[in-house]
Amino acid sequence: MNEMIVKTFDWVPDLPRGHVRDLRVRWALEEAGLPYRVEGVPFRERDAGHFAHQPFGQVPWLIDGEVSVFESGAILLYLGERSDALLPNDAQGRNEVIQWVFAALNSMEMASVPWSIFMFSNLTGDTPGWKMLDGFIGARVQHVEAVLAQREWLAGRFSIADILMSDVLRLVDRFGRLSGQPACRAYIARATARPGFIKAHADQIAFYAAADRAGKGG
Ligand SMILES: N[C@@H](CCC(=O)N[C@@H](CS)C(=O)NCC(=O)O)C(=O)O
């Protein structure tokens, strides 16, 4: 079996370390037991070759032989085709996972990303814009809380939907926005206790520590 290649930034500042989205891909590959290696692309100078694979100049993307896939959700669906541990084979099981993949990315992350940008940028004052964003993420989190209070994983057993949802919630939790949501927090704890997450997270931290030592941050 070919070794797949996960492409990510060769260096990032401290703040996003442990949250760069190559972690989702590493985690899925670990859960599936598929062989891979990680390669860095420049964080500062993003060249045409980068944009040819990821049209927004972002990371991650995955190379599998002749195939190149960008968008973490699309990559996880691609990997799901290669492992029943990530995405079940039966039609009903697959559909359940796929709907939660979209829910994680389109119902939750579309609320959490603008909210976290305001958080990172310290724009959380008493303004109508911030109140609206905070209310928006608060409502979404409450709905997920109600779901997670009833089940261990989103779609029966653990799947790529849980990699995505728990990773989205992890960032919200980092800023303390899940303090009133015990089911969400217990879900994150369950997900991040999995050996696949622990290895993926440790490897990402080690990757950027090595980049520091190599002087990549400039
Ligand atoms: N929707 C994309 C988002 C990718 C994304 O936001 N990547 C971040 C790193 S985690 C990035 O490349 N940020 C740099 C930038 O946006 O210029 C995905 O899920 O793959």
Side-chain angles (χ1 to χ4, degrees):
M1 191 180 290
N2 276 346
E3 187 180 58
M4 295 190 220
I5 305 171
V6 180
K7 292 289 209 170
T8 191
F9 289 130
D10 62 356
W11 176 89
V12 294
D14 284 344
L15 202 63
R17 293 184 188 192
H19 289 272
V20 183
R21 286 175 179 76
D22 65 74
L23 190 142
R24 299 171 178 182
V25 184
R26 293 173 186 259
W27 185 0
L29 287 159
E30 291 294 335
E31 292 279 351
L34 293 166
Y36 69 99
R37 68 177 187 273
V38 177
E39 287 180 1
V41 291
F43 173 70
R44 295 189 204 284
E45 305 298 326
R46 302 176 198 175
D47 62 16
H50 183 152
F51 282 88
H53 289 280
Q54 216 295 359
F56 302 96
Q58 296 182 311
V59 297
W61 73 89
L62 180 80
I63 304 282
D64 181 16
E66 298 298 304
V67 179
S68 177
V69 193
F70 73 96
E71 281 293 337
S72 58
I75 298 169
L76 265 54
L77 285 168
Y78 179 84
L79 295 176
E81 298 299 327
R82 272 141 197 83
S83 170
D84 185 62
L86 299 173
L87 181 64
N89 282 320
D90 65 290
Q92 192 182 338
R94 287 171 70 81
N95 284 335
E96 271 199 52
V97 170
I98 290 168
Q99 73 189 1
W100 279 110
V101 162
F102 280 91
L105 297 175
N106 198 36
S107 298
M108 286 305 299
E109 195 162 45
M110 65 92 84
S112 67
V113 163
W115 179 84
S116 60
I117 290 172
F118 269 54
M119 270 287 187
F120 276 127
S121 315
N122 241 341
L123 293 170
T124 58
D126 189 19
T127 63
W130 169 247
K131 282 187 190 156
M132 195 203 71
L133 281 179
D134 195 52
F136 189 28
I137 187 70
R140 290 288 151 98
V141 156
Q142 263 180 10
H143 293 310
V144 176
E145 174 74 8
V147 171
L148 292 173
Q150 306 295 325
R151 55 182 95 166
E152 186 180 18
W153 304 115
L154 288 170
R157 61 181 169 79
F158 181 85
S159 71
I160 49 174
D162 297 299
I163 294 180
L164 293 166
M165 185 67 87
S166 63
D167 195 48
V168 170
L169 290 176
R170 224 161 46 84
L171 189 63
V172 180
D173 192 38
R174 179 172 170 180
F175 293 116
R177 192 63 175 82
L178 295 181
S179 54
Q181 268 77 37
C184 286
R185 300 195 75 205
Y187 172 70
I188 295 170
R190 273 196 300 285
T192 58
R194 296 179 71 86
F197 173 85
I198 292 170
K199 179 159 191 326
H201 186 267
D203 285 355
Q204 183 180 104
I205 299 293
F207 185 81
Y208 289 123
D212 286 339
R213 287 195 298 278
K216 291 218 164 110

